[in-house]
């Protein structure tokens, strides 16, 4: 396989992960220019998360593209530093990684700033250094880096950012991040990470060992239900964002909120037992939730 083929394959493999997300990333109904720019932003966000989670394609091709030596290719902090350096080339130079080369026209076309992208990198650096969160506020501060920049980028790409819309978007994105954490409790524990606040674990008498069980006991289920309600409240807080815009953007944002609500319903349908694997909603449930939102019923 040629080096060009390898780079193209890496780019495609990362972008193809959009189909597995809880929410539609760049659905067919949005204008083509938006779709291309949203996928470029998604490619960045997905790749930085894959670096932080150690989920890069085997063989070290991403590290080579970023100029990281084979000896350091397994060091996630080194990779994140190299990725940040390549991001800065997006704003003044020629990036090395194909996903960042794809991002550069979007940045220029939409006049995007480095801050949201740097926030996502900072969140993944934090994941290498912080594996437990004592309070809910600590978790919210992490979500401000790991999730909220994505919504801000969507608003920037579509030219609809205002202070109030950003506030509502932050609530939705934080909710989506919490939902993902609830779906992935077992997977995260396998990476020695727990995103359930320690103060809440104590309140519900949940030990870390309880999260390693094959199925959840009553205390874990009660804790997950509590955190799911928090996510539901945040989605409700942010839902007016959908009504503040029109046309295809309204459909897209409804899809984000619907994805979160449908995922929470899937968790509830599993009786809050997330330990056997991530409860995920079907397409029918997602469409039903989107319909409710678009009709202004919830």
């Amino acid at each position: 396989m040629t080096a060009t083929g390898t780079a193209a394959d890496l780019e495609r493999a990362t972008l193809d992960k959009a189909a597995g997300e809880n929410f539609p990333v760049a659905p067919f109904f949005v204008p083509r220019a938006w779709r291309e720019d949203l996928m470029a932003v998604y490619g960045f966000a997905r790749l930085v998360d894959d670096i932080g989670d150690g989920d890069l394609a085997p063989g070290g091709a991403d590290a080579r593209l970023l100029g990281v030596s084979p000896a350091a290719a397994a060091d996630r902090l080194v990779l994140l530093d190299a990725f940040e350096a390549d991001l800065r080339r997006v704003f003044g130079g020629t990036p090395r990684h194909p996903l960042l080369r794809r991002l550069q026209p979007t940045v220029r076309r939409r006049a995007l700033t480095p801050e949201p992208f740097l926030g996502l990198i900072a969140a993944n650096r934090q994941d290498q250094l912080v594996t437990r969160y004592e309070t809910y506020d600590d978790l919210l501060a992490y979500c401000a880096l790991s999730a909220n920049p994505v919504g801000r980028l969507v608003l920037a790409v579509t030219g609809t950012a205002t202070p109030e819309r950003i506030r509502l978007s932050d609530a939705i994105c934080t909710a989506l991040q919490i939902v993902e954490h609830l779906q992935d409790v077992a997977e995260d524990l396998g990476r020695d990470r727990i995103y359930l606040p320690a103060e809440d674990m104590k309140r519900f008498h949940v030990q870390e060992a309880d999260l390693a069980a094959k199925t959840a006991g009553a205390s874990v289920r009660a804790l997950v239900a509590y955190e799911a309600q928090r996510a539901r409240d945040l989605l409700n807080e942010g839902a007016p964002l959908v009504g503040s815009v029109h046309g295809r953007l309204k459909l897209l944002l409804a899809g984000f909120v619907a994805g979160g609500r449908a995922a929470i319903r899937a968790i509830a349908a599993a009786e809050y037992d997330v330990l056997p694997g991530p409860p995920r909603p079907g397409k029918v449930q997602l469409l039903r939730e989107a319909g409710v939102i678009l009709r202004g019923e919830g």
Side-chain angles (χ1 to χ4, degrees):
M1 184 181 291
T2 66
T4 302
T6 300
D9 290 342
L10 284 172
E11 182 180 11
R12 176 47 49 197
T14 300
L15 295 175
D16 284 348
K17 294 180 181 180
E21 302 292 347
N22 273 338
F23 48 84
V25 173
F28 69 92
F29 57 77
V30 301
R32 181 176 178 180
W34 283 8
R35 194 159 61 245
E36 291 176 355
D37 290 340
L38 290 170
M39 284 305 295
V41 168
Y42 173 78
F44 172 91
R46 183 69 268 163
L47 181 59
V48 72
D49 279 354
D50 286 348
I51 292 172
D53 290 340
D55 286 341
L56 294 175
D62 290 289
R64 288 195 298 275
L65 287 165
L66 293 170
V68 174
S69 70
D75 189 323
R76 298 178 194 177
L77 287 171
V78 170
L79 282 171
L80 288 168
D81 287 346
F83 192 60
E84 180 177 332
D86 212 28
L87 169 68
R88 294 188 184 279
R89 295 184 193 102
V90 171
F91 293 88
T94 303
R96 294 172 173 174
H97 199 285
L99 285 167
L100 292 180
R101 289 198 295 272
R102 171 186 282 260
L103 180 64
Q104 192 169 45
T106 293
V107 163
R108 291 173 175 171
R109 187 161 46 239
R110 306 297 181 184
L112 303 182
T113 63
E115 284 74 21
F117 301 103
L118 291 171
L120 294 172
I121 294 174
N124 279 276
R125 278 205 189 93
Q126 186 164 314
D127 275 333
Q128 313 313 309
L129 305 170
V130 180
T131 60
R132 306 290 189 277
Y133 291 85
E134 180 61 32
T135 69
Y136 182 59
D137 284 343
D138 293 338
L139 184 64
L140 293 181
Y142 169 75
C143 292
L145 295 173
S146 68
N148 298 2
V150 175
R152 294 180 178 216
L153 284 166
V154 170
L155 293 176
V157 163
T158 57
T160 55
T162 66
E164 177 62 8
R165 284 178 179 148
I166 288 171
R167 184 187 73 80
L168 297 172
S169 171
D170 286 352
I172 293 168
C173 290
T174 291
L176 293 175
Q177 180 75 89
I178 291 172
V179 170
E180 184 176 327
H181 289 160
L182 295 179
Q183 290 175 312
D184 295 340
V185 168
E187 179 182 329
D188 290 334
L189 187 64
R191 295 187 168 113
D192 191 31
R193 297 178 191 165
I194 297 176
Y195 295 102
L196 298 165
E199 64 179 7
D200 297 340
M201 291 177 64
K202 293 173 187 172
R203 174 180 174 182
F204 286 92
H205 308 289
V206 172
Q207 306 293 320
E208 289 193 13
D210 298 329
L211 303 180
K214 291 184 178 180
T215 60
S219 295
V220 171
R221 291 176 193 239
L223 172 60
V224 171
Y226 178 73
E227 305 300 348
Q229 183 59 51
R230 280 177 152 168
R232 189 180 291 110
D233 291 343
L234 282 168
L235 283 174
N236 291 341
E237 179 184 338
L241 176 64
V242 178
S244 78
V245 298
H246 304 283
R248 297 178 186 183
L249 179 57
K250 186 170 186 172
L251 291 176
L252 179 65
L253 298 182
F256 293 160
V257 177
R261 287 183 174 172
I264 292 171
R265 285 191 184 275
I267 292 170
E271 297 180 340
Y272 301 101
D273 185 3
V274 296
L275 299 186
R280 298 203 182 279
K283 289 185 178 180
V284 172
Q285 184 63 55
L286 180 62
L287 291 171
R288 185 178 295 125
E289 292 289 346
V292 168
I293 294 162
L294 289 169
R295 290 193 300 270
E297 296 172 3

